[in-house]
Amino acid sequence: MVIGLTGDAAAASLLECWEHSEGSLKFCRASSNFVYVFENRGERFYLRFSFEMERQEEQIRAELDFLAYLQNQHYPIAAPVLSLNGKVLEKVHASEGMYYGVVFRSAAGVVLEDDLTAEQCWTWGRSLASLHQLSQAYRPSSVPRVSWKDILQEIDVILKRHPKEREAAAELRQLNDWLMTLPITEQNYGLIHYDFQLDNVFYEADTRSFEIIDFDDAVYSWYVQDIVNAIDDVVGDELGLEHPHAQAFLEGYGSILPLGGDKLSQFTDFRRFMNLQKFSSLLRSLEGCGDDVPEWVQEIKVKFVRVMDRMRRGFAL
């Protein structure tokens, strides 16, 4: 992250591939991806790029293939924008390696806060069910996106570099054994968004609908996992399905796709999956991150360590 942000060099190089207003490029955020905002002819666009060690080119193309399918099916997404070369994906070489960039138009609507209404939660759940309904019929045109098995394998690789994390390793074994017992059908399993939380869904009040962004975590898994990740955003540490927001979300989802009690019983374990992946990602982020880093990185390290300590206590339960 430190290298990729230095002087905004990678962002500026990639931006040359798209039409833009000079001097409008501004940093927005960074994690596994870098996101910058810029303008062109009075409109706002977002440049998202990633380093080759974080995202494989074929996986980005698989994401774009899914987005093209959703767009053809008239599902509301913030669509990619063609470059001056007529491409949706551009890449630039830097001394540290390759960066892959995609530009998206701004999403219509606004991001909702925690004070969202029951009606909005209902529409939010219905929007996710509509996505899953389309996913059931989706067939990738080339290399597919990764699956939950790839996520578990990545977690295993990380934890093996940290043998003292015995509780996390035990959690991984238990989750793997449980997931292997779950049935896979066209109705319960497919390509999911995996981050269908409030910061990735934009509400349009006039149409009472949502427009969706950020499909870069899309993965093949059970649809219920998408529901768990979404609801977790509004109910916090206690996954209470009796929470009014959760109930409204589930009712909206159920208005399109059935949601039986067998799926609801899986919520707790899928939440364990989500937390273990978060833990391993934080663990990986701290690897090789010494003291010779900017102050803002030191502050992030302190936050990561605090969150990981809380997660470890959860593994021990």
Side-chain angles (χ1 to χ4, degrees):
M1 185 186 296
V2 174
I3 296 173
L5 294 176
T6 302
D8 299 327
S13 296
L14 282 165
L15 188 60
E16 292 301 316
C17 298
W18 280 269
E19 188 177 356
H20 62 279
S21 299
E22 292 295 331
S24 65
L25 181 68
K26 295 181 180 179
F27 170 72
C28 183
R29 61 178 175 82
S31 55
S32 56
N33 286 316
F34 302 88
V35 179
Y36 282 72
V37 62
F38 69 94
E39 293 184 0
N40 181 44
R41 299 181 182 181
E43 292 186 46
R44 173 174 288 191
F45 297 88
Y46 290 87
L47 167 66
R48 189 199 76 193
F49 63 96
S50 53
F51 188 50
E52 61 182 346
M53 292 183 65
E54 289 290 340
R55 290 286 190 270
Q56 296 178 347
E57 180 178 357
E58 65 178 19
Q59 284 298 297
I60 301 174
R61 293 194 182 279
E63 172 202 353
L64 296 173
D65 183 79
F66 187 48
L67 291 179
Y69 164 76
L70 293 177
Q71 192 172 11
N72 288 336
Q73 297 297 317
H74 307 291
Y75 185 79
I77 61 169
V81 178
L82 290 177
S83 70
L84 294 170
N85 299 318
K87 301 177 181 179
V88 290
L89 176 65
E90 294 282 359
K91 46 191 175 183
V92 297
H93 291 275
S95 58
E96 63 272 17
M98 182 84 75
Y99 288 95
Y100 302 106
V102 182
V103 165
F104 296 91
R105 66 169 179 81
S106 294
V110 297
V111 173
L112 297 175
E113 303 296 336
D114 292 338
D115 59 347
L116 68 171
T117 66
E119 181 185 8
Q120 290 167 341
C121 286
W122 188 92
T123 306
W124 181 21
R126 184 177 175 86
S127 177
L128 182 58
S130 297
L131 175 63
H132 291 169
Q133 190 174 51
L134 290 172
S135 179
Q136 290 176 0
Y138 171 65
R139 300 296 181 269
S141 61
S142 57
V143 176
R145 291 285 294 185
V146 297
S147 76
W148 61 274
K149 291 182 179 180
D150 297 288
I151 292 177
L152 290 186
Q153 184 177 10
E154 182 179 350
I155 294 173
D156 183 52
V157 169
I158 294 171
L159 292 181
K160 283 180 177 176
R161 297 199 296 264
H162 300 270
K164 292 184 179 180
E165 300 291 350
R166 290 184 290 273
E167 291 86 356
E171 182 81 344
L172 175 62
R173 290 191 296 271
Q174 292 177 18
L175 285 172
N176 182 72
D177 291 344
W178 171 69
L179 289 165
M180 293 297 291
T181 68
L182 296 183
I184 294 178
T185 69
E186 290 187 357
Q187 288 70 44
N188 72 0
Y189 183 95
L191 188 57
I192 65 174
H193 184 283
Y194 203 53
D195 195 10
F196 207 83
Q197 297 193 339
L198 289 177
D199 55 348
N200 288 329
V201 298
F202 286 70
Y203 184 69
E204 296 184 84
D206 293 341
T207 59
R208 295 181 180 179
S209 63
F210 284 93
E211 187 164 296
I212 316 304
I213 67 170
D214 281 1
F215 284 79
D216 59 302
D217 286 326
V219 61
Y220 279 93
S221 187
W222 290 268
Y223 294 126
V224 66
Q225 188 167 13
D226 238 0
I227 302 172
V228 173
N229 289 3
I231 290 180
D232 183 72
D233 198 27
V234 294
V235 300
D237 291 338
E238 296 297 328
L239 186 57
L241 295 181
E242 299 305 318
H243 192 290
H245 286 347
Q247 284 294 303
F249 183 100
L250 294 174
E251 289 173 6
Y253 188 97
S255 69
I256 291 185
L257 292 176
L259 189 61
D262 57 330
K263 294 180 181 178
L264 298 181
S265 66
Q266 299 169 358
F267 271 43
T268 299
D269 288 320
F270 271 118
R271 192 165 189 270
R272 289 170 58 199
F273 182 113
M274 178 183 66
N275 286 336
L276 181 61
Q277 186 184 11
K278 286 182 180 179
F279 178 84
S280 66
S281 295
L282 294 176
L283 193 63
R284 175 178 176 267
S285 297
L286 292 176
E287 291 178 344
C289 189
D291 297 327
D292 188 21
V293 292
E295 183 178 350
W296 62 269
V297 178
Q298 292 287 2
E299 294 174 356
I300 291 176
K301 287 172 59 179
V302 172
K303 179 181 178 181
F304 282 6
V305 169
R306 187 181 303 119
V307 172
M308 289 169 61
D309 285 342
R310 185 175 71 246
M311 287 183 167
R312 287 189 185 95
R313 291 193 293 272
F315 297 151
L317 296 178

